[in-house]
Amino acid sequence: MKEFSFSFSKEKKYLFVGCGSSYNIGFIMKEILNNNNYNSNVITGGHTILFDKIVETDIAILITRTGETTETVEAAKILKNKGIKTIGITCSKNSAITSVCDQKIELDVAYEKSVVMTGSFVFILSLLLNGLKNNDYTEISKKVLANSKKVIDNLDLENYEHFVFLGYDENYGVSKEGALKLQEMALQYVEYHEPLEYRHGPISRLTEKSLVVMNSKNLKEEKKLKEDIKKLGAKVIEVSSEGEIEIPLMNGFETPLRLIPIQYLGYKKAIQMGYNPDSPKNLSKSVKL
Ligand code: F1P
């Protein structure tokens, strides 16, 4: 990934902007950057164009896989007019976002035909994380995929019609993205929460038809919640260094790996339901207002 190098500075204030999955990349990055003493925020393209509430920012990073999402493109114009440096990250060539932004990163090697963002999500997230620290996911990702397949292929997926994703901080972003994948690809009823928030209401909807993916940091309270959920008859898959799906904890730098089981689960559930996971109902590749 050397030819697309990108690096962050502790002297600058960053703002991530995007919609849907592209917003989720920004959310995860904001959490990891701030955890490493960088200064960053995240906002949806929609909020940017509807409200004049932009936090102090030096550099705005606008993420849009297609480069054509109206809210993100319009947000770039607004931010640029405020004197903020704009960087557009996209997986298309010569799209609207790059004609607007001061700097462009066109990752056309990560171009996807599918309406749903999968590989491109992981590619953009890894690229941005490499701007903090060099990571090589090649070997470990193969292991995670094999492990994910083993666990997910063994599930009786017809049994589950409710998917809950739990996680803190960057894992909250991973959970939001997990819920979106199951919703887009397999049209499922989904939720995402912080683990301890799950007891404050949402748990009332839990049944033996619920599948809970715990994007865990190995916290004692997360383990306890997992046991409580199991006692209520639901299935829990823990994703962590001690989970059924094993992923080493690397202070958030493991997030690209966490997408592997989630995307595979969405794909498998879509197939089981008889849907085309690449072409969900009511969705287009980018939203144009
Ligand atoms: C953003 C997005 C996708 C979503 C759907 C509609 O697209 O929200 O995340 O899957 O297809 O558009 P983009 O701005 O990243 O191209």
Side-chain angles (χ1 to χ4, degrees), residues 39-211:
N39 189 326
S40 76
N41 275 290
V42 64
I43 191 168
T44 58
H47 201 286
T48 312
I49 64 170
L50 293 176
F51 307 97
D52 190 17
K53 279 189 182 169
I54 306 300
V55 293
E56 213 187 305
T57 301
D58 299 306
I59 301 176
I61 300 174
L62 296 110
I63 304 170
T64 162
R65 176 184 62 156
T66 57
E68 301 292 345
T69 296
T70 305
E71 296 99 303
T72 309
V73 174
E74 291 304 312
K77 293 180 191 165
I78 291 171
L79 296 166
K80 206 173 160 183
N81 278 337
K82 286 184 183 290
I84 297 169
K85 181 179 172 181
T86 51
I87 303 178
I89 302 187
T90 178
C91 300
S92 307
K93 269 243 172 265
N94 305 320
S95 65
I97 196 74
T98 54
S99 65
V100 174
C101 289
D102 299 310
Q103 196 184 320
K104 59 179 181 182
I105 300 182
E106 288 179 331
L107 307 168
D108 46 328
V109 289
Y111 175 83
E112 272 167 341
K113 239 180 170 179
S114 171
V115 167
V116 178
M117 271 177 92
T118 50
S120 60
F121 187 104
V122 177
F123 196 92
I124 297 171
L125 179 59
S126 311
L127 168 93
L128 290 168
L129 286 174
N130 274 351
L132 275 176
K133 174 161 93 70
N134 255 327
N135 307 282
D136 186 355
Y137 299 109
T138 324
E139 287 312 309
I140 181 83
S141 60
K142 288 180 200 157
K143 278 192 196 150
V144 174
L145 179 60
N147 188 198
S148 304
K149 278 184 165 172
K150 210 168 106 196
V151 173
I152 295 166
D153 290 349
N154 266 328
L155 294 171
D156 229 343
L157 273 183
E158 309 88 83
N159 279 350
Y160 304 109
E161 54 179 38
H162 173 219
F163 293 81
V164 181
F165 295 85
L166 303 176
Y168 279 109
D169 307 335
E170 67 278 2
N171 291 337
Y172 184 76
V174 169
S175 299
K176 186 172 185 300
E177 177 63 9
L180 187 62
K181 290 305 93 161
L182 265 292
Q183 193 172 52
E184 285 184 320
M185 288 178 169
L187 311 183
Q188 294 301 295
Y189 171 52
V190 298
E191 298 181 62
Y192 59 93
H193 303 280
E194 286 189 352
L196 291 192
E197 278 297 290
Y198 191 59
R199 286 204 182 90
H200 295 266
I203 200 165
S204 53
R205 178 59 182 77
L206 196 76
T207 71
E208 70 289 347
K209 291 187 182 302
S210 307
L211 175 60

